[in-house]
Amino acid sequence: MIENTQKNNKSDNAVRIKKNTSSAISDSVIKRLPRYHRFLSELKKAGVTRISSRELSERMGVTASQIRQDLNCFGGFGQQGYGYNIDILLFEITRILGLDKPKNTILIGMGNLGRAITMHINFETKGFRLLGLFDRKESLVGQMVKNMPIRSTATIDEFCRENLPEVAILCIPKDQAEPVCDQLVKLGIKGFWNFSHYDLAVKYPDVKVENVHFGDSLMTLSYRLESSRKQEI
Amino acid sequence: MIENTQKNNKSDNAVRIKKNTSSAISDSVIKRLPRYHRFLSELKKAGVTRISSRELSERMGVTASQIRQDLNCFGGFGQQGYGYNIDILLFEITRILGLDKPKNTILIGMGNLGRAITMHINFETKGFRLLGLFDRKESLVGQMVKNMPIRSTATIDEFCRENLPEVAILCIPKDQAEPVCDQLVKLGIKGFWNFSHYDLAVKYPDVKVENVHFGDSLMTLSYRLESSRKQEI
DNA sequence: TAGATTGTTAATCGATTAACAATC
DNA sequence: TAGATTGTTAATCGATTAACAATC
């Protein structure tokens, strides 16, 4: 393991940070990080200053082993005999997630969903900065949402050359997605938050895609309700 | 393995269906079912009548082994030397997911998000029937959304006794969630589609909960963008 | 110092992939 | 029949849990 002993002043709450060069972090771990962030934020808000992996594990309903294993993918943030300082750990997870580096973002498709996403999400605290809203419907163009005008999709090229967004949020129907995505990737978009059913990851392997498929999510709930119903009979 | 040879008429496209009594299906498999459903629906719409696990695997970007393994948790839906009949397979997955048994559903919280969910999701094709919309804000009560009136949360008890919903969609802020959930569980709600950050599953272990945490989803995208940026440097 | 709790290695468990006999 | 492809078992891989020495 390559280690980078950032500060070696032991009495000064030193944090050893592993350079994450060779070993990629598994998806299972990455998906758990936001939940740690959420629980630690709440503990901090509640005025708690330290916590052991055991206590955190009980609150979160996971094993203490898993918490320690997960955190040690990124560095030794705890202290033997003491546990974890919540301020330090929260700071580190925020940094690991990149929430301190806002990424310029545009949103395509201002129907019900795009509108709700725009209004409902606190982008700044999640590592993003929403710069522009686009829709191809000319009747919506010019309308203000969250202090931003809805722009015509015809102006995306111009907007991207000026503002250099690196992330796009896709709230358009599947059948409109392909040409828009081709365009956006050419314009330098590096990541998509994808609410459409268009299978982005297959076509552009280098682009980071996070899918939110409501339908899939609902169907798994349907499955679990059905199967529990069957077991009762 | 307990098998239920539903029809044993081999020449008649017989489908062997495994009773899923003892062996619980793993979450990994369940989460993949909606995607199979989605791809098969499209193939059907495109007029394709049969497909081999190999070809489907190439389209979906997974292994053929995984597809066969997944499907065989539920039964033998294919035919050696032929592959899978798309109509039959789609019918079976629809049944397995319980999409053919609509579950009465209510939605609590008609802010931007609740409104978008109501308008945007096709509940009937996902195994649900949306019966009632609720908000505690009296100024919204009576407003029509998708041909339904928004009702006062004060009338939830009465509504549930009359309509017996078994699923609730939670679109309310975390700090309002606890009493509402207590009430709903008492009223017989068996499943939640949870958009709030309230940790339902911990409190009511018998209730089925499917969480949609936008913030968590966005943060994992942030992580992946950050880490790819670091590797480039 | 003694007690507590981490970081880390080893053991276990589960999920994915590979292989192939069965069979359409 | 010969060819194709499934269903299923075995091998591999990865993730989780357990254990414990290190150390605050």
Side-chain angles (χ1 to χ4, degrees):
Chain A
M1 301 289 138
I2 302 156
E3 285 191 12
N4 177 10
T5 325
Q6 217 188 27
K7 303 171 187 176
N8 225 346
N9 188 337
K10 287 187 184 181
S11 62
D12 197 21
N13 252 329
V15 171
R16 279 171 300 121
I17 296 177
K18 277 183 196 172
K19 269 197 203 160
N20 159 26
T21 34
S22 50
S23 57
I25 308 297
S26 85
D27 225 52
S28 328
V29 175
I30 296 167
K31 286 207 196 105
R32 285 193 290 266
L33 292 177
R35 193 152 180 264
Y36 293 137
H37 187 272
R38 196 140 44 81
F39 273 79
L40 290 166
S41 298
E42 273 167 38
L43 285 164
K44 182 176 178 169
K45 208 161 66 182
V48 184
T49 57
R50 61 181 256 194
I51 195 160
S52 68
S53 58
R54 187 190 48 73
E55 203 197 325
L56 187 58
S57 77
E58 283 163 8
R59 284 172 182 269
M60 295 185 66
V62 299
T63 65
S65 243
Q66 181 163 78
I67 292 175
R68 294 204 299 278
Q69 201 74 283
D70 283 354
L71 297 178
N72 279 296
C73 294
F74 304 100
F77 304 133
Q79 201 172 66
Q80 281 99 328
Y82 173 90
Y84 296 88
N85 175 303
I86 286 179
D87 270 342
I88 293 179
L89 189 54
L90 185 57
F91 174 85
E92 291 296 342
I93 292 180
T94 302
R95 189 187 52 76
I96 290 162
L97 284 168
L99 308 186
D100 54 339
K101 306 251 183 67
K103 287 153 273 288
N104 288 341
T105 303
I106 57 177
L107 188 153
I108 325 286
M110 284 297 286
N112 289 310
L113 184 63
R115 213 170 274 264
I117 298 293
T118 303
M119 310 275 281
H120 185 261
I121 307 278
N122 187 344
F123 287 96
E124 294 288 336
T125 61
K126 270 105 197 162
F128 297 84
R129 181 178 292 136
L130 187 56
L131 292 184
L133 311 174
F134 295 86
D135 202 288
R136 62 170 193 172
K137 237 192 210 155
E138 289 298 325
S139 62
L140 295 180
V141 172
Q143 216 181 84
M144 299 298 284
V145 181
K146 222 191 189 184
N147 292 320
M148 285 178 284
I150 300 180
R151 297 164 200 275
S152 165
T153 44
T155 68
I156 289 187
D157 272 70
E158 194 190 331
F159 187 91
C160 289
R161 271 184 261 106
E162 278 171 28
N163 296 280
L164 303 172
E166 56 174 316
V167 179
I169 305 172
L170 278 197
C171 299
I172 57 181
K174 182 190 159 81
D175 52 359
Q176 294 170 29
E178 188 162 12
V180 177
C181 291
D182 288 346
Q183 186 187 10
L184 291 171
V185 171
K186 267 186 215 142
L187 287 166
I189 294 292
K190 297 274 182 299
F192 285 89
W193 200 27
N194 179 35
F195 290 79
S196 87
H197 277 163
Y198 179 58
D199 230 309
L200 271 160
V202 174
K203 189 163 182 190
Y204 317 101
D206 290 341
V207 165
K208 312 291 166 190
V209 179
E210 169 70 13
N211 293 307
V212 181
H213 290 332
F214 291 111
D216 291 12
S217 168
L218 250 191
M219 288 184 199
T220 63
L221 181 60
S222 175
Y223 173 86
R224 279 176 283 155
L225 287 162
E226 270 309 304
S227 69
S228 80
R229 189 186 281 175
K230 273 172 202 152
Q231 277 169 352
E232 275 165 26
I233 296 166
Chain B
M1 300 291 137
I2 301 156
E3 285 191 12
N4 178 12
T5 326
Q6 216 187 27
K7 305 172 188 177
N8 223 348
N9 189 338
K10 287 186 185 182
S11 64
D12 196 22
N13 252 329
V15 170
R16 280 172 298 121
I17 295 177
K18 278 183 195 170
K19 269 197 201 162
N20 160 25
T21 34
S22 50
S23 58
I25 308 297
S26 85
D27 224 53
S28 329
V29 175
I30 296 167
K31 285 206 196 105
R32 285 193 290 267
L33 293 176
R35 192 152 181 264
Y36 293 135
H37 187 272
R38 195 140 44 83
F39 273 79
L40 291 166
S41 299
E42 273 167 40
L43 285 164
K44 181 176 180 171
K45 208 160 66 181
V48 184
T49 58
R50 61 181 255 194
I51 195 159
S52 68
S53 58
R54 188 190 49 72
E55 203 197 325
L56 187 57
S57 78
E58 282 162 10
R59 284 172 182 269
M60 296 185 64
V62 298
T63 65
S65 244
Q66 181 164 79
I67 292 175
R68 295 203 299 278
Q69 199 74 283
D70 283 354
L71 296 178
N72 279 296
C73 293
F74 304 99
F77 305 132
Q79 200 171 68
Q80 281 99 327
Y82 173 91
Y84 297 88
N85 174 301
I86 286 179
D87 269 343
I88 292 178
L89 189 53
L90 185 56
F91 174 84
E92 291 296 342
I93 292 180
T94 302
R95 190 187 51 77
I96 290 162
L97 284 167
L99 309 186
D100 53 338
K101 306 252 183 69
K103 287 152 272 290
N104 288 341
T105 302
I106 57 177
L107 188 154
I108 325 286
M110 285 297 287
N112 288 308
L113 183 64
R115 213 171 274 264
I117 298 292
T118 304
M119 310 275 281
H120 185 262
I121 308 278
N122 188 346
F123 287 96
E124 294 288 336
T125 60
K126 270 106 198 161
F128 297 85
R129 181 177 293 136
L130 187 55
L131 292 185
L133 311 173
F134 294 87
D135 203 288
R136 61 170 194 173
K137 237 192 207 154
E138 288 300 325
S139 62
L140 296 179
V141 172
Q143 216 180 84
M144 299 298 283
V145 180
K146 222 190 190 184
N147 291 321
M148 285 178 283
I150 301 181
R151 297 164 200 275
S152 165
T153 44
T155 67
I156 289 187
D157 271 70
E158 194 191 330
F159 187 92
C160 289
R161 269 183 263 108
E162 278 171 27
N163 296 280
L164 303 173
E166 57 175 316
V167 180
I169 305 173
L170 277 197
C171 299
I172 56 181
K174 183 191 159 77
D175 52 0
Q176 294 169 30
E178 188 162 12
V180 177
C181 293
D182 288 347
Q183 186 189 10
L184 292 170
V185 171
K186 266 185 216 144
L187 287 165
I189 294 294
K190 297 275 183 297
F192 285 89
W193 200 27
N194 179 34
F195 289 79
S196 88
H197 277 163
Y198 178 58
D199 228 309
L200 271 160
V202 174
K203 189 162 180 189
Y204 318 100
D206 290 341
V207 166
K208 311 292 167 192
V209 179
E210 170 70 12
N211 293 307
V212 181
H213 290 331
F214 291 112
D216 291 12
S217 167
L218 250 191
M219 288 185 200
T220 64
L221 180 61
S222 176
Y223 174 87
R224 278 177 284 155
L225 287 162
E226 270 310 303
S227 67
S228 80
R229 188 186 280 175
K230 272 172 204 153
Q231 276 170 352
E232 275 165 24
I233 296 168

